[in-house]
Amino acid sequence: ALRYDDNQAFGDEVTGSLALGYDLDRHHTLRASVGTAFKAPSFNDLYFPGFGNPDLNAETSETYELGIRGQYRTLFWDLAAYQTDIDDLIAFTLQDGLFSAFNVDKARIRGIELAAGAEIDDWTLAAALTYADPENRSGLNAGNRIPRRAGQSLRLDVDRELGDWSLGGSWIAQGYRYDDAANEQRLAGFGLVNLRAGWQFAPLWSARLTVENALDKEYATARFFDGDDYLNAGRAAFVSVHFGQ
């Protein structure tokens, strides 16, 4: 893949990616990839009253990944390791007495992801575990974790087919994170339960009900500048109707 950006404020940028896979045998595939990215600050990042920073630079990055996958008749597993090196990472925190967007000169995110799943009769089971090390690599806060990024996450999915009906649920957990660059304001980890149900009520027609944060968990992934937690949405339900294959 290849992409060209012509940004009036931040100049020209060419980014792209290259990926290669190799079948070790019938069931196992080795893969490697490399990619670059470019992200210009948004209008709010630059100019939102009391928050924007008009001196922000654009963010650029390079990512490398190596992975291996096992695919069998009724189950799979996938293991991947990656590293992203970022220049001028756009982050948000309290700095020099002001809460605003700012650039982290050098940042590095290393991680490893393990996923597995199986189909057993009418059941579909899946799990994904991620460990990440999002590290500030420059300035007074070098060695600290990048603000508002969790180091661990876990997702478990269970779904069941019942004729024209389907039922399922997910448990999503994330570890603690810090709200500030100095890593002094710690935000607790949390776990959420999401539920879903589907109904194929006519040929090519289906309806779906999704309940997010079904247990109405109170949690925060950021804080206001005054120190109060910025709470995420509570329980929410969505209904949709779909036509097509």
Side-chain angles (χ1 to χ4, degrees), residues 23-43:
D23 290 331
L24 300 173
D25 54 37
R26 288 181 54 199
H27 300 292
H28 302 94
T29 301
L30 184 68
R31 68 181 185 276
S33 64
V34 59
T36 59
F38 165 80
K39 177 184 176 183
S42 69
F43 184 86

Side-chain angles (χ1 to χ4, degrees), residues 1 5 79 112 116 135 142 147 152:
D5 285 275
L79 179 65
I112 187 167
E135 183 180 345
Q152 303 86 29

Side-chain angles (χ1 to χ4, degrees), residues 117-126 157-161 169 196:
E119 295 183 0
I120 304 172
D121 296 328
D122 295 325
W123 293 87
T124 300
L125 310 175
D157 294 293
V158 178
D159 290 274
R160 175 77 188 276
E161 296 291 334
R196 52 190 170 269

Side-chain angles (χ1 to χ4, degrees), residues 29-141:
T29 301
L30 184 68
R31 68 181 185 276
S33 64
V34 59
T36 59
F38 165 80
K39 177 184 176 183
S42 69
F43 184 86
N44 283 346
D45 294 340
L46 293 168
Y47 304 118
F48 193 87
F51 168 80
N53 179 359
D55 296 324
L56 284 176
N57 296 321
E59 176 183 310
T60 58
S61 64
E62 297 179 352
T63 298
Y64 309 89
E65 180 177 310
L66 181 65
I68 185 170
R69 182 180 180 89
Q71 183 74 55
Y72 314 98
R73 187 173 65 88
T74 60
L75 59 91
F76 79 92
W77 58 267
D78 192 283
L79 179 65
Y82 65 90
Q83 177 168 315
T84 301
D85 296 309
I86 310 170
D87 291 335
D88 292 319
L89 172 71
I90 300 172
F92 312 92
T93 192
L94 183 67
Q95 184 169 276
D96 298 328
L98 297 174
F99 182 79
S100 67
F102 71 100
N103 287 119
V104 177
D105 293 338
K106 299 287 184 181
R108 185 198 66 199
I109 303 174
R110 284 178 175 170
I112 187 167
E113 299 176 342
L114 174 63
E119 295 183 0
I120 304 172
D121 296 328
D122 295 325
W123 293 87
T124 300
L125 310 175
L129 176 65
T130 300
Y131 172 79
D133 180 23
E135 183 180 345
N136 187 334
R137 304 280 287 175
S138 61
L140 296 175
N141 297 305

Side-chain angles (χ1 to χ4, degrees), residues 126-132 149-157 169-177 187-194 213 217 219-221:
L129 176 65
T130 300
Y131 172 79
R149 294 178 184 249
Q152 303 86 29
S153 64
L154 172 65
R155 181 184 178 106
L156 302 175
D157 294 293
S170 300
W171 181 59
I172 302 169
Q174 294 188 11
Y176 71 89
R177 68 196 70 205
L187 295 164
F190 58 88
L192 303 176
V193 174
N194 298 334
N213 192 6
K217 174 74 173 181
Y219 69 102
T221 56

Side-chain angles (χ1 to χ4, degrees), residues 3-8 10-15 37-40:
R3 171 174 170 150
Y4 171 73
D5 285 275
D6 181 9
N7 188 293
Q8 185 177 18
F10 297 98
D12 301 344
E13 192 74 27
V14 177
T15 56
F38 165 80
K39 177 184 176 183

